[in-house]
Each structure stands twice: as C-alpha cells, then as structure tokens.
Amino acid sequence: PIEDIQYLKVGPEGSHLYENEDYLPRAFFVTKREDVSTEAFLDLVETGRFMPTRKVYVTDSSEPEEALDVSELFIPVDTAKYAGEEVVINCDLPSMGYVVLSDLFYPGWKVTVNGEAAELMKVNGMSRAVRIKESGAHEIRFSYNPLWKRFAWITPVAAGMCLIIPF
C-alpha cells in the first residue's frame, strides 16, 4: 500500500519536499507477464499486490501472453539517449522478456528492436514496454511521430494556395 512507501524529507524546515528512495529505474527488464483486465489491475494496486519488479501487467495487447520458460529476473537497463521524441536503449539481455520504459504510454510512440518494428505495449497501467524475443544484444528505439505531425504541412500549403489563387 501507499502508506508503506518510505520518503526522505529533503526540503528546508517548514517545506514539504520529499524524495522517494524506492523508485523504479527509468528503464528495466523483467521476464514475467500477466494479462489482466483494467479492473483487476486496479485491484492489484489497491491491495498492495502490484509488483512491477517481478512482472509486467498488460491490460491490452494484440500479442497473446506467452509463458516464458525463464527464471524471474529484474534488471535495470541504461538509456543511451533520452530526448523528447526519442529514447534509445542499448542492452545485453540474458533471456527473452520485456523492456519497460517508465514513461507514460501515449499515442504516436513507436518502437523498434534492432531496427525491426515491434509492438508497443501499454503495461503497468501507464508505461511503455516492448517484448524481447531472444537473449543477446539489442538496440531498442522508442520514437514519437504522431499522426498530426505527418499532416502538418497541409496548413501552410493551403494558406499559400489561398494567397495565389484569387477568389
């Protein structure tokens, strides 16, 4: 439960500034997955049974859950690049599993693994993840390219056309 989280007071006297010392890394690897309904996920969180360091909780995915015959692992992974529209993770993983990026899932994000398109999964209620299908070295690239950006050129072209073509 939330009450169990320990915070360190870091602000000056009279302030209410605390540091959460029990945070998840920005990116990490886990080997287990559980498909759950949104209601079941919320129940896990409310009852203190939500364990993001043990597995990913998936509420909607086109990829069916596959039982991985691997031991339970949790490994923090480093981001090689972290920018507003691109996150790159280079990692050497010991088995199949899931790389989770602790950022918010939002439409317009895409992911590739070693240059190949992969399914971007919404996990743990709000984060982004990708399934890693084999052990070894991987370059995982999350990139943001929303639909509106692809059609942004239409407005200036239409405005230019209005200036050129008399009414």
Side-chain angles (χ1 to χ4, degrees):
I2 298 295
E3 300 85 38
D4 294 341
I5 298 175
Q6 299 297 312
Y7 296 99
L8 174 67
K9 187 168 173 80
V10 294
E13 191 62 40
S15 71
H16 298 285
L17 184 61
Y18 297 87
E19 179 181 345
N20 178 1
E21 294 183 313
D22 191 26
Y23 62 90
L24 287 171
R26 183 179 303 272
F28 57 92
F29 171 77
V30 293
T31 53
K32 301 296 181 183
R33 167 184 172 164
E34 184 177 337
D35 286 348
V36 294
S37 67
T38 301
E39 294 78 20
F41 174 75
L42 292 174
D43 183 59
L44 288 169
V45 173
E46 288 174 2
T47 59
R49 295 178 294 132
F50 172 55
M51 302 289 188
T53 59
R54 293 188 166 190
K55 60 176 85 169
V56 292
Y57 297 90
V58 182
T59 54
D60 55 347
S61 172
S62 63
E63 280 190 16
E65 181 176 1
E66 179 182 329
L68 300 179
D69 188 26
V70 294
S71 59
E72 185 178 284
L73 293 173
F74 172 81
I75 303 170
V77 294
D78 293 325
T79 53
K81 176 181 180 184
Y82 190 85
E85 295 183 351
E86 184 176 51
V87 179
V88 179
I89 298 169
N90 293 316
C91 53
D92 194 358
L93 302 171
S95 69
M96 300 182 295
Y98 301 88
V99 170
V100 178
L101 186 61
S102 294
D103 292 352
L104 288 177
F105 181 93
Y106 193 79
W109 281 94
K110 306 285 186 229
V111 64
T112 61
V113 177
N114 298 332
E116 300 286 325
E119 180 191 7
L120 181 65
M121 301 169 64
K122 181 179 179 181
V123 301
N124 301 342
M126 62 179 196
S127 298
R128 292 179 261 164
V130 62
R131 180 171 176 241
I132 303 301
K133 298 180 180 181
E134 58 189 33
S135 62
H138 299 285
E139 180 190 72
I140 302 161
R141 186 176 299 268
F142 294 89
S143 55
Y144 184 63
N145 189 13
L147 186 60
W148 68 265
K149 270 183 130 180
R150 288 179 244 159
F151 297 102
W153 61 270
I154 292 175
T155 302
V157 169
M161 296 288 283
C162 289
L163 293 173
I164 295 172
I165 301 172
F167 289 96

